[in-house]
Amino acid sequence: MVSTLTARLLAVSHDSVTQGLMTYCGVLGGIAMVVYLGHHPSTYVMAVSAAVTCTLVTATLGTLLGPFGLKAFTGPFCLVSLVMVLGAPSFERVWHGTPESAVTPPPRRPPW
């Protein structure tokens, strides 16, 4: 919903919005935030931010790649999610400490 609203506010072509080209990456970005950063109030703010940013990047890449006959597909999702997931834990004021990841690594074994 956030991605669609952002696309409408940016006056993106009606065909791109109805085909789902502007919303797909935003939905994937929101899912990635919850999966990798866990359930935290700041995670949901990050999910909304990811949806808006994915729409902006999708529209930008669509304009840049249009003359070459190329589409952005999931490139904006990959770019935005990578930056946000890697950068989010470093914001101490937002997280009040590093968030626990929903994906837990296996326990370390002693080297001996």
Side-chain angles (χ1 to χ4, degrees):
M1 186 170 91
V2 173
S3 294
T4 304
L5 181 62
T6 303
R8 296 274 185 189
L9 290 174
L10 290 174
V12 175
S13 69
H14 184 69
D15 292 338
S16 294
V17 175
T18 56
Q19 291 176 358
L21 298 176
M22 293 294 151
T23 58
Y24 186 69
C25 289
V27 170
L28 289 177
I31 291 170
M33 295 303 114
V34 175
V35 168
Y36 288 109
L37 299 176
H39 294 286
H40 189 275
S42 296
T43 301
Y44 300 111
V45 174
M46 294 288 290
V48 170
S49 300
V52 170
T53 307
C54 281
T55 304
L56 293 171
V57 173
T58 301
T60 302
L61 285 177
T63 302
L64 292 175
L65 297 175
F68 302 106
L70 301 173
K71 300 276 185 191
F73 294 118
T74 59
F77 154 71
C78 297
L79 179 67
V80 170
S81 296
L82 176 70
V83 169
M84 292 182 98
V85 167
L86 291 179
S90 65
F91 298 122
E92 290 287 330
R93 291 183 183 171
V94 175
W95 294 108
H96 303 292
T98 304
E100 293 183 19
S101 176
V103 180
T104 56
R108 291 184 143 204
R109 294 186 347 203
W112 57 87

